[in-house]
Amino acid sequence: MGTLQTEPARTRPDLLAAPVAAALASWPAQAPVDVDAVLVAPIDATLADTAAFCAAYEVGLDVSANCVVIAGKREGEIRYAACVVLATTRADVNGVVRRTLDVRKASFAPMAEAVESTGMEYGGITPIGLPESWPILVDARVIATPHVIIGSGVRHSKIALPGPALGALPGARVVEGLARPA
């Protein structure tokens, strides 16, 4: 986890977006990963973007995960999904993601829509605490990673947790081949 100074996330709601703090507060006791294994670390908000963050905090791109919000239309209805992929890869938006959402065209959701829909800051969106109706598509490489670093819903911190925990989130589906090497 590089030089990050972590502590249990549920003890630091000041480092989390409100939906993330709420999701951790209601973390199921029977979840395969204990809530106290979800850690948070404060960071410089100007270094929240993946490349800058990894360089500044000595975190490998291979353990840093990105959560991107994808939107697609079907019969006039906008369908959203979150895709969680390692920073060494890119989500296959117009292949695997489009077919999984069953839409004609998929693309990254506009920033204002993503922020409004999630209640999180752009550049800090995380799969923890997303709207319940959204599928969370997790690349199989993410859950195969012992520990990953992801956003916390805000730009001034990051969450560290076991990769398998992301595949166990409500609404999560592990998808083989969701991402391609960058």
Side-chain angles (χ1 to χ4, degrees):
M1 289 189 266
T3 61
L4 294 175
Q5 298 297 311
T6 61
E7 54 192 299
R10 69 180 177 152
T11 67
R12 293 297 308 270
D14 59 308
L15 294 177
L16 306 169
V20 179
L24 291 174
S26 63
W27 194 266
Q30 71 278 11
V33 174
D34 187 83
V35 69
D36 288 331
V38 180
L39 307 174
V40 69
I43 66 163
D44 179 337
T46 65
L47 299 171
D49 293 334
T50 305
F53 163 75
C54 288
Y57 293 94
E58 300 173 17
V59 171
L61 290 171
D62 60 334
V63 296
S64 182
N66 292 318
C67 179
V68 294
V69 177
I70 306 298
K73 269 190 184 177
R74 179 70 173 211
E75 298 169 1
E77 171 197 359
I78 298 176
R79 298 178 183 183
Y80 291 99
C83 295
V84 183
V85 300
L86 292 176
T88 55
T89 65
R90 298 286 176 251
D92 183 4
V93 175
N94 275 303
V96 175
V97 178
R98 179 187 58 76
R99 286 189 300 275
T100 302
L101 282 177
D102 190 27
V103 294
R104 286 185 42 190
K105 182 181 174 205
S107 59
F108 295 101
M111 179 175 55
E113 280 180 32
V115 167
E116 183 179 336
S117 298
T118 63
M120 300 179 200
E121 294 177 7
Y122 192 76
I125 294 174
T126 186
I128 301 170
L130 289 175
E132 289 182 22
S133 62
W134 288 16
I136 300 170
L137 309 177
V138 183
D139 186 65
R141 287 172 273 225
V142 173
I143 65 156
T145 305
H147 283 87
V148 294
I149 310 294
I150 60 170
S152 62
V154 294
R155 291 183 61 87
H156 63 272
S157 66
K158 293 285 186 179
I159 287 177
L161 76 168
L166 295 170
L169 290 172
R173 269 191 279 175
V174 177
V175 180
E176 195 70 46
L178 176 66
R180 296 181 179 171

